[in-house]
């Protein structure tokens, strides 16, 4: 049976951080919105799983730093509306090989952007990083900077807040609704959900690592790679141990990219475990649906080894291991994919994609941008780097 509902102004596919934000901003702007999520809301098996994300102002590209700055008023609005602090400014420490280009960026270039944007930071060498932040046995040539406004984002708090705001603004949020196909034409977009068809004027596809399977029938293939990244927690040896959010830029090892990052004690968490994780772009998945749902043992061994060598305040046994899916643009300089489908015709007029990259910190802003693109076809923000053309 085909059930034709009244058309919506906007259908959003995917109920992670970006989809929920898009539903919030579009509904708050007065559009009628339906959001379709395949699983249950707040599940941990896609890109918005887990408890914390890094909040940082620094990017190697000035336009991306300016987008982070532009997102701050929307984060504040979300915090005020939800009555909960979502960004905790514990500081952001970047250190290591200052000329190494990674999927996270480039230390020296990012410091240059901070300088240009008049954002404060403190440059330091390995000995000072060890003395002030509790690292040990860093190569003596390592350098880096501490930026005091960086920190950690409360992931679940953010998802709950986005969901609540989207609902309060009138969005129809449906879970257990897997979208099988998106079919744009001159009249609108038909969204196939099982036996049902949902009709909308426009659609935003923000299905994370699963976005490709909906774009392929529309003739578009994004140049992204999908990874299942490991993460783990470590027990402090003494009470009161804490760190800023940090990222270690290192030369690649033989088998992996040798990048590690971590956090302090999550300010909202009832326990004092501390998360440290590898950022390895290895073994890309052909299909996000092939994800194992568990971290690779070798990744956990590598992060435990790094903790044992460089973080003496932590016991080096990984606890609560998990994995998380991420789609990353093959071209690191691009950052993200955000904008309408390229070309002309119904698909280009009606389908907007919001996908790939380290996007959590941009969730409220990218939701706002999608809402603007849906409502007017334009956005006031500079997204030239991110568009799909
Ligand atoms: C380990 C790790 C660390 C990260 N660290 C950071 C960080 O420090 N800072 C930062 O800013 N970002 C970080 N990120 C990136 C950030 O978390 C993601 O970019 C962001 O959460 C993606 O949100 P999303 O809504 O686009 O996708 P997702 O959260 O993946 O949501 C997509 C949703 O679509 C649903 N879906 C899929 N297919 C369909 C379908 N056919 N029909 C209906 N629903 C569908 C899925 O079930 C899912 O709920 C990290 C990511 C990972 C994995």
């Amino acid at each position: 049976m085909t059930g034709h509902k009244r058309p919506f102004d906007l259908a959003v596919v995917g109920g992670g951080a970006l989809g929920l934000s898009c539903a919030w901003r579009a509904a708050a702007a007065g559009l009628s919105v339906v959001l379709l999520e395949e699983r249950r809301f707040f599940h941990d098996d896609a890109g918005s799983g887990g408890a914390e994300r890094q909040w940082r102002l620094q990017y190697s590209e000035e336009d991306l730093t300016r987008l982070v700055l532009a997102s701050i008023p929307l984060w504040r609005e979300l915090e005020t509306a939800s009555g909960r602090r979502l960004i905790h400014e514990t500081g952001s420490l970047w250190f290591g090989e200052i000329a190494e280009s990674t999927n996270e960026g480039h230390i020296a270039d990012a410091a240059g952007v901070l300088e240009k944007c008049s954002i404060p930071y403190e440059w330091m060498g390995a000995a000072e990083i060890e003395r002030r932040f509790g690292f040990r046995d860093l190569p003596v040539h390592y350098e880096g900077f501490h930026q005091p406004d960086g920190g950690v984002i409360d992931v679940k708090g953010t998802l709950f807040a986005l969901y609540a705001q989207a609902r309060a603004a009138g969005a129809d949020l449906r879970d257990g609704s897997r979208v099988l196909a998106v079919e744009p034409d001159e009249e609108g977009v038909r969204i196939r959900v099982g036996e049902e068809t949902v009709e909308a004027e426009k659609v935003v596809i923000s299905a994370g690592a699963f976005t490709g399977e909906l774009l392929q029938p529309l003739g578009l293939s994004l140049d992204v790679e999908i990874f299942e990244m490991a993460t783990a927690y470590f027990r402090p040896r003494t009470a009161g141990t804490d760190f800023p959010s940090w990222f270690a830029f290192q030369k690649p090892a033989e088998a992996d990219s040798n990048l590690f990052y971590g956090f302090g004690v999550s300010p909202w968490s009832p326990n004092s475990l501390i998360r440290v994780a590898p950022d390895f772009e290895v073994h890309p998945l052909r299909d996000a649906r092939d994800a194992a749902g568990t971290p690779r043992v070798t990744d956990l061994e590598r992060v435990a080894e790094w903790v044992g060598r460089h973080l003496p305040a932590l016991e080096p046994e990984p606890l609560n291991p998990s994995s998380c899916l991420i789609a990353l643009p093959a071209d690191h300089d691009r950052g993200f994919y955000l904008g309408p489908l390229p070309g002309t015709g119904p698909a280009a007029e009606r389908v907007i994609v919001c996908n790939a990259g380290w996007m959590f910190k941009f969730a409220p802003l990218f939701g706002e941008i999608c809402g603007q693109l849906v409502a007017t076809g334009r956005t006031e923000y500079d997204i030239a780097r991110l568009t799909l053309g």
Side-chain angles (χ1 to χ4, degrees):
M1 196 186 82
T2 303
H4 284 276
K5 306 278 185 231
R6 72 176 174 82
F8 291 91
D9 294 324
L10 171 64
V12 179
V13 183
L18 277 301
L20 286 170
S21 174
C22 184
W24 166 41
R25 299 312 297 173
L31 303 183
S32 60
V33 178
V34 60
L35 181 147
L36 303 156
E37 163 57 45
E38 171 177 350
R39 307 279 298 273
R40 299 287 159 229
F41 287 110
F42 320 123
H43 71 90
D44 278 319
D45 297 330
S48 302
E52 52 280 291
R53 292 290 184 275
Q54 299 214 341
W55 167 253
R56 59 175 163 102
L57 305 189
Q58 68 268 17
Y59 266 88
S60 310
E61 302 81 11
E62 184 180 342
D63 52 326
L64 295 182
T65 283
R66 296 210 180 274
L67 286 175
V68 183
L69 296 175
S71 78
I72 293 173
L74 288 162
W75 277 107
R76 296 290 169 246
E77 186 180 332
L78 191 60
E79 288 179 325
T80 303
S82 63
R84 178 166 171 165
R85 200 161 157 209
L86 302 171
I87 295 177
H88 296 260
E89 284 90 359
T90 57
S92 171
L93 175 69
W94 272 20
F95 65 90
E97 305 278 356
I98 64 167
E100 194 69 23
S101 278
T102 74
N103 66 26
E104 192 77 353
H106 181 285
I107 295 177
D109 288 355
V113 170
L114 290 174
E115 200 75 54
K116 205 163 171 198
C117 296
S118 304
I119 297 171
Y121 70 96
E122 209 180 335
W123 189 266
M124 57 193 85
E128 191 175 352
I129 293 167
E130 291 184 355
R131 185 180 58 76
R132 282 180 52 182
F133 299 108
F135 291 85
R136 181 180 66 188
D137 198 20
L138 298 178
V140 287
H141 67 281
Y142 275 17
E143 292 178 81
F145 61 80
H146 178 257
Q147 203 294 312
D149 305 297
V152 55
I153 307 172
D154 174 351
V155 168
K156 288 290 187 276
T158 300
L159 295 175
F160 296 157
L162 290 170
Y163 179 91
Q165 292 313 305
R167 256 189 96 154
D172 180 351
L173 307 177
R174 302 181 188 175
D175 59 4
S177 300
R178 178 172 176 184
V179 171
L180 301 175
V182 168
E183 298 167 352
D185 63 22
E186 277 74 15
E187 306 295 316
V189 191
R190 282 185 309 281
I191 320 279
R192 306 283 182 198
V193 186
E195 296 291 295
E196 194 190 358
T197 299
V198 174
E199 294 183 356
E201 293 297 323
K202 296 193 179 176
V203 62
V204 169
I205 303 181
S206 51
F210 305 88
T211 295
E213 64 193 23
L214 295 171
L215 292 182
Q216 202 185 16
L218 298 173
L220 183 69
S221 168
L222 300 180
D223 192 11
V224 299
E225 289 184 308
I226 298 166
F227 299 98
E228 196 170 10
M229 297 248 180
T231 197
Y233 288 82
F234 294 84
R235 191 179 303 288
R237 293 184 195 277
T238 53
T241 298
D242 212 351
F243 300 94
S245 293
W246 57 269
F247 196 97
F249 291 70
Q250 306 194 112
K251 289 196 185 302
E254 205 172 301
D256 58 55
S257 40
N258 200 24
L259 304 172
F260 297 91
Y261 65 96
F263 299 83
V265 176
S266 293
W268 60 87
S269 170
N271 70 46
S272 59
L273 296 181
I274 286 183
R275 181 174 156 209
V276 184
D279 175 0
F280 295 166
E281 287 186 45
V282 286
H283 310 301
L285 297 175
R286 202 182 286 269
D287 184 332
R289 296 195 189 270
D290 293 339
T294 51
R296 279 178 297 275
V297 173
T298 47
D299 290 1
L300 295 175
E301 287 171 353
R302 287 276 287 129
V303 72
E305 180 193 0
W306 205 90
V307 167
R309 179 166 175 201
H310 297 297
L311 288 167
L314 302 181
E315 292 176 7
E317 185 197 345
L319 304 170
N320 305 342
S322 63
S323 68
C324 185
L325 277 176
I326 180 87
L328 293 175
D331 172 7
H332 290 161
D333 292 340
R334 149 176 281 286
F336 314 95
Y337 282 97
L338 178 59
L341 256 57
T344 54
E349 282 161 23
R350 298 188 182 278
V351 182
I352 290 160
V353 173
C354 180
N355 187 231
W358 309 109
M359 266 195 184
F360 206 95
K361 68 186 78 59
F362 293 102
L365 180 70
F366 285 4
E368 170 73 5
I369 290 173
C370 287
Q372 291 182 351
L373 291 172
V374 169
T376 67
R378 289 190 306 277
T379 175
E380 70 197 74
Y381 299 96
D382 174 10
I383 58 164
R385 175 192 299 278
L386 318 180
T387 52
L388 280 68

